[in-house]
Amino acid sequence: MHRWSELFIPTLREAPADAEVASHKFLVRAGYIRQLAAGIYSYLFLGKRSFNKIIRIVREEMDRIGQEFYLPALHPRELWEASGRWALMGDNLFRLKDRKGTDLALGMTEEEVMTSIALKDLRSYKQLPQIWYQIAPKFRDEPRPRSGLLRVRQFMMKDSYSFDIDAAGLDVSYRKHYDTYCRIFDRCGLKYMVVEADSGAMGGKESHEFMVRTPAGEDQIVSCDGCNYAANIEKATSKLEVVEDLKPEGDGKPLEVHTPGQKTIEDVAKFLGVSPKNKIKTLALMAEEKDASGNTKLREIVVLMRGDHQLNEAKLNAAVGVATRPMEESEIRALFKSPAGYLGPIGIEWGKDRKKDAEKPVLVVDKALEGRTNLIGGANKENYHLKNLTPGKDFDPTAYADLRAVTAGEACPNCGKPLRIDTAVEIGHIFKLGYRYSESMGARVLDKNGKEVMPIMGSYGIGIERILTAAVEQGNDENGFWLPPAIAPFEIVVSPVNVKDETVRSAAEDIVKRLEVAGYDVIFDDRDERPGVKFKDADLVGIPFRITVGKKVTEGTVEVVQRSTREVRDVRISAIVETFGELLRRSG
RNA sequence: CGGGGCGUAGCGCAGCCUGGUAGCGCACCUGCCUUGGGCGCAGGGGGUCGUAGGUUCAAAUCCUAUCGCCCCGACCA
């Protein structure tokens, strides 16, 4: 029997000052976690119990489609060099040296380790498909850990990897994960959505993220209430209304207009009496690229957007393959020969091919400008802009790409209904890796014809603490939070109003015993505290049901309180077990 | 990486500007009291003021460095 008086459940009346989001505040206040360092947390009794339940669900479901491994977190440098990620991962990878000075890394995912096993021991198509998974800590040296457990440096992750003989096989493994993830998150009692995702620098093709809507999240998801379209904003598109182009002025060639002191899109549009939709927004960015010999060098990347559109950096990143930063004032002057505010694409020799013209600046133009005519942009001359700018005629972009951030209310690309945008937290991510690791690390199997082929891979992750965090974000009020019964540390807290009253106490203890025999996780709040203290704690710590044992025991009844709804019902003590059979079935 | 803020008792904070050897609330311990929403009374314990150096007769307080933690930004071009 779990007696509260003997357990370590350090609840706090006030949240630590540095906690911002609800889940962080409440998990600390409820005595689930304590912070050890930035982005590093200890799990105490209640937190670990909840964790165990989540892991158990994940493991049960994963065991239906795959095999659990236990892999080291400490990886030799050579392994990461083989895949190319030693250099690629930069500062996000934790690195350390052993006493001999040998470089090691702390695993942030396990593609390399899994592939190293595969390449040694997978020989034949007859051994495929394989799905291998593990549930283990992962380490990432995040540039900025934040929001309590939402972005941390050490976390528990279920990661799995599939190996198939061909793309059709990968489709099956992918689908299995998709379905399994749905079952896992359903069982965890989360309200989630599945969105199309950017596969990022991993080079994959298809990718889905499992998202829980919450203002505490770090991702933006675009979705349509009219159909099932849903995508991460890094990937989302929308149907644009047709914009009427301006008529050419004069001879139709770029025409300089005096725009003294008019620097912003808004100002210039107003000054010239046109819509920002007919303006070009010129963004001057700088990328740090590595050349063949491994030296980093700067590369100018200029982006053109429709005046009223916003750049989505993830899309740009995907389009150019490198991270960018805004140019500094001096860099702007060097390229454009003009101060910011009057920048445009004219008069600069743009690279035709990003790879071949390695010395020349890159001009990437958003697709929303493709086919447009007579736009207005900066003249690269202080206090002047140009009219009659037509992409492809007056200047040649290195490439066109979808770079635009979708905004709420734009038309759904599928059905045309207005799109909505929500912030959300990512709890799971599945994607088709393809041949990246098989190729770089040299995994090969023989196919039916005795020919050597590369196995095709998928990789799939679930953030264990994010399930807990998302559940707290999804169910809380000013007094605390409630977890879905399946992942709560206890399903029921039994609170005798006065433990010094023998009748009350023994009735409560009897109820605890009977519920435990029936298989429920129950905690007995046997502390000699005033009822108010016990109720406040019960409300705080995430347990979905409370049984209050008070004076009414003499009449043979107790109160059952549902935390999420505050609904209170009197229940005959004799019927308590059946009552919970009913209640827990209903609340999943 | 850039910008801002904060480090004083387990938690939340005051004191710092104007140097004089540390305080409040909650929590904790003891006793009494109380028992359906953080009850009351009395007594009590606990802090190298993040760290190091400097200025000074004297530093939580002023100066310098450093470490840590939190937030914002990686977008009027």
Side-chain angles (χ1 to χ4, degrees):
Chain A
M1 185 179 295
H2 292 281
R3 296 174 192 275
W4 196 309
S5 67
E6 295 165 4
L7 297 170
F8 182 59
I9 304 173
T11 58
L12 299 175
R13 197 181 287 229
E14 285 171 289
D18 48 20
E20 291 276 319
V21 299
S23 55
H24 186 197
K25 286 181 185 165
F26 285 133
L27 288 171
V28 172
R29 281 191 57 202
Y32 276 53
I33 58 170
R34 286 293 182 265
Q35 184 176 33
L36 188 62
I40 305 176
Y41 287 85
S42 303
Y43 283 76
L44 312 186
F45 176 66
L46 289 185
K48 181 61 167 119
R49 273 189 75 95
S50 178
F51 230 62
N52 286 152
K53 294 204 175 180
I54 295 167
I55 288 171
R56 186 174 169 187
I57 291 171
V58 172
R59 180 171 284 130
E60 281 175 9
E61 294 300 333
M62 284 306 300
D63 279 342
R64 293 166 59 158
I65 63 165
Q67 306 149 65
E68 184 171 10
F69 284 15
Y70 168 54
L71 302 177
L74 219 41
H75 302 173
R77 169 179 181 160
E78 294 72 51
L79 192 61
W80 283 73
E81 281 186 330
S83 70
R85 291 209 298 175
W86 181 264
L88 191 75
M89 279 305 168
D91 290 336
N92 264 16
L93 185 65
F94 269 109
R95 295 158 211 257
L96 64 151
K97 285 183 193 297
D98 69 12
R99 63 205 302 161
K100 287 181 286 191
T102 307
D103 286 312
L104 297 164
L106 293 178
M108 52 197 301
T109 57
E110 307 274 342
E111 278 86 355
E112 284 83 0
V113 180
M114 286 288 191
T115 308
S116 77
I117 294 165
L119 72 88
K120 283 186 187 130
D121 291 303
L122 285 180
R123 295 262 165 261
S124 158
Y125 73 95
K126 291 178 190 165
Q127 291 170 293
L128 299 181
Q130 290 290 329
I131 293 175
W132 301 340
Y133 82 94
Q134 64 158 355
I135 302 172
K138 296 286 176 291
F139 302 87
R140 293 185 188 177
D141 195 356
E142 292 287 344
R144 191 180 152 210
R146 71 184 105 181
S147 304
L149 295 184
L150 279 173
R151 179 160 295 277
V152 290
R153 296 195 290 173
Q154 172 177 345
F155 60 99
M156 194 68 89
M157 178 169 166
K158 186 291 299 175
D159 51 320
S160 44
Y161 306 87
S162 63
F163 298 87
D164 282 278
I165 193 70
D166 56 23
L170 175 57
D171 287 344
V172 174
S173 295
Y174 189 85
R175 189 70 218 175
K176 278 184 179 173
H177 276 88
Y178 189 111
D179 294 340
T180 296
Y181 277 31
C182 289
R183 275 200 301 273
I184 288 169
F185 299 132
D186 284 337
R187 284 185 63 186
C188 287
L190 291 173
K191 277 180 274 171
Y192 62 95
M193 55 193 299
V194 190
V195 307
E196 292 173 27
D198 175 32
S199 43
M202 306 302 256
K205 295 178 185 67
E206 198 176 351
S207 173
H208 285 91
E209 287 168 332
F210 292 73
M211 295 285 202
V212 173
R213 278 186 186 134
T214 155
E218 295 187 301
D219 284 287
Q220 301 282 111
I221 51 175
V222 176
S223 61
C224 175
D225 290 331
C227 67
N228 58 7
Y229 181 76
N232 192 302
I233 196 151
E234 297 176 354
K235 166 100 178 177
T237 58
S238 65
K239 249 185 246 168
L240 285 179
E241 82 288 15
V242 177
V243 180
E244 202 174 317
D245 284 323
L246 298 171
K247 298 269 183 292
E249 291 185 34
D251 60 0
K253 296 229 171 77
L255 178 70
E256 220 168 67
V257 285
H258 192 44
T259 50
Q262 309 297 313
K263 289 187 178 186
T264 69
I265 299 282
E266 277 303 312
D267 288 348
V268 174
K270 207 177 281 176
F271 184 79
L272 296 176
V274 301
S275 159
K277 292 174 184 171
N278 292 310
K279 267 226 61 186
I280 293 174
K281 179 190 279 189
T282 305
L283 300 158
L285 303 165
M286 203 56 113
E288 286 182 4
E289 287 185 323
K290 281 208 166 63
D291 65 13
S293 49
N295 299 321
T296 56
K297 47 184 283 197
L298 294 172
R299 181 74 176 274
E300 291 132 326
I301 295 189
V302 175
V303 173
L304 302 188
M305 307 287 303
R306 200 173 89 181
D308 60 324
H309 286 164
Q310 299 284 99
L311 171 68
N312 181 297
E313 277 185 72
K315 285 184 178 179
L316 176 63
N317 206 329
V320 299
V322 281
T324 54
R325 60 162 173 84
M327 272 191 202
E328 283 160 22
E329 186 67 36
S330 59
E331 294 166 337
I332 290 178
R333 293 244 178 211
L335 179 63
F336 293 92
K337 319 276 189 278
S338 160
Y342 307 94
L343 306 185
I346 300 294
I348 296 168
E349 197 184 339
W350 304 106
K352 297 231 185 319
D353 183 288
R354 218 177 69 73
K355 290 263 149 52
K356 284 181 205 146
D357 296 328
E359 300 304 318
K360 290 180 187 161
V362 173
L363 180 68
V364 194
V365 178
D366 183 58
K367 286 209 162 126
L369 292 180
E370 200 169 9
R372 297 286 308 280
T373 60
N374 302 316
L375 298 156
I376 296 171
N380 291 332
K381 183 172 167 189
E382 189 159 12
N383 296 328
Y384 285 93
H385 280 76
L386 292 174
K387 291 185 170 179
N388 299 341
L389 289 177
T390 299
K393 180 171 142 241
D394 302 310
F395 57 92
D396 285 313
T398 312
Y400 288 98
D402 175 16
L403 303 173
R404 180 174 57 93
V406 168
T407 57
E410 289 177 2
C412 171
N414 282 353
C415 71
K417 294 228 170 60
L419 292 168
R420 58 184 281 185
I421 299 185
D422 297 279
T423 53
V425 58
E426 177 188 352
I427 52 174
H429 194 167
I430 57 178
F431 61 98
K432 295 183 179 174
L433 271 181
Y435 297 104
R436 196 197 132 98
Y437 294 89
S438 302
E439 183 172 22
S440 60
M441 299 182 67
R444 303 284 187 277
V445 296
L446 294 181
D447 70 7
K448 267 184 215 142
N449 307 314
K451 215 180 90 195
E452 205 170 57
V453 296
M454 288 186 286
I456 186 167
M457 291 175 63
S459 119
Y460 318 87
I462 289 179
I464 303 294
E465 37 273 272
R466 283 194 176 174
I467 293 180
L468 174 60
T469 312
V472 176
E473 292 292 338
Q474 216 161 62
N476 68 79
D477 58 24
E478 66 282 1
N479 294 312
F481 63 99
W482 53 92
L483 292 174
I487 64 170
F490 292 96
E491 294 160 296
I492 305 160
V493 52
V494 174
S495 310
V497 159
N498 181 357
V499 290
K500 292 219 172 106
D501 182 327
E502 234 351 275
T503 321
V504 168
R505 189 194 162 92
S506 61
E509 197 156 337
D510 182 55
I511 288 167
V512 174
K513 280 181 191 149
R514 285 174 46 212
L515 286 167
E516 282 185 339
V517 168
Y520 295 109
D521 277 326
V522 188
I523 182 168
F524 180 34
D525 192 354
D526 61 334
R527 293 174 299 167
D528 183 14
E529 289 284 357
R530 297 177 58 83
V533 174
K534 298 208 252 193
F535 294 161
K536 285 286 184 194
D537 273 346
D539 285 348
L540 174 63
V541 300
I543 299 172
F545 293 100
R546 183 180 91 212
I547 300 175
T548 310
V549 184
K551 292 200 185 78
K552 280 181 274 188
V553 283
T554 53
E555 303 156 26
T557 62
V558 291
E559 280 171 12
V560 171
V561 187
Q562 184 159 358
R563 177 64 181 84
S564 57
T565 58
R566 302 242 144 194
E567 199 182 333
V568 181
R569 67 199 92 198
D570 283 343
V571 174
R572 305 285 313 163
I573 295 175
S574 53
I576 198 78
V577 172
E578 295 73 53
T579 302
F580 275 98
E582 176 84 3
L583 280 172
L584 283 163
R585 206 174 319 118
R586 244 196 295 153
S587 57

